[in-house]
Amino acid sequence: CLRNDGFLRYPVFLCTGEQRLRFWQLPSLLKSLKEIDILILYPAISTVMLGLCFLIQAPWICLIGGFVIGYAAPAVYPAGDLTTATFFPENKGTATSMVMIASSIANYTIISLASYITKTGGAAAPRMILLLNMGVTIVGILLALYVKKNKK
């Protein structure tokens, strides 16, 4: 998927999970990180950025936050998929399917909850949704820390 000069041969969505993960890692700084470390670091970066967006109520922070979270978020799914596949090496396809099903359920649940918050929250709804996102991200970090601790 990546050429020797570091540029993409194909669009990112045509690459395998591992190739997408390597593309979304910071080029030289984070190459030594394992998938489980990315599942901790990138959501932590996103949590900090969500917190800044919550505290600094200005349009410019949303632009910066969109860039930072947009860079960090795409690496989480492939890292989770690869981490899950390492637990079930003989059933990688089943593990990937379970990750995709869990992702779909989570997307539906969180979007439904965010729509309810928007309907009932009034003017404070966007800030409450930021708090919801921070909470979900913190739970993800805690689960990744648990997996990292018990993986050994």
Side-chain angles (χ1 to χ4, degrees):
C1 194
L2 289 176
R3 298 187 316 219
N4 290 337
D5 58 3
F7 290 99
L8 286 176
R9 240 182 235 148
Y10 312 107
V12 172
F13 59 86
L14 294 177
C15 302
T16 65
E18 186 173 354
Q19 290 168 334
R20 279 184 279 152
L21 179 62
R22 288 178 196 212
F23 174 75
W24 289 110
Q25 288 178 349
L26 292 173
S28 59
L29 181 63
L30 299 177
K31 285 193 179 193
S32 62
L33 287 180
K34 295 181 180 169
E35 291 86 9
I36 192 69
D37 296 325
I38 290 173
L39 287 174
I40 296 166
L41 178 64
Y42 280 21
I45 293 169
S46 295
T47 302
V48 169
M49 199 69 241
L50 286 166
L52 289 174
C53 289
F54 181 80
L55 295 174
I56 304 170
Q57 297 179 23
W60 61 269
I61 194 70
C62 294
L63 293 173
I64 295 170
F67 175 78
V68 170
I69 294 169
Y71 184 83
V76 174
Y77 176 79
D81 189 19
L82 289 171
T83 302
T84 304
T86 59
F87 287 112
F88 308 101
E90 64 283 345
N91 295 321
K92 288 183 181 182
T94 303
T96 299
S97 297
M98 294 306 221
V99 170
M100 184 59 91
I101 290 168
S103 174
S104 298
I105 292 169
N107 279 330
Y108 176 78
T109 305
I110 296 302
I111 290 173
S112 297
L113 186 55
S115 69
Y116 177 76
I117 291 171
T118 302
K119 185 171 115 179
T120 60
R127 294 191 67 190
M128 292 170 30
I129 292 173
L130 284 173
L131 290 175
L132 170 68
N133 286 334
M134 285 175 63
V136 168
T137 308
I138 289 169
V139 168
I141 293 168
L142 293 174
L143 289 172
L145 287 169
Y146 178 78
V147 168
K148 183 175 182 175
K149 178 184 171 205
N150 292 319
K151 189 176 180 181
K152 298 175 183 179

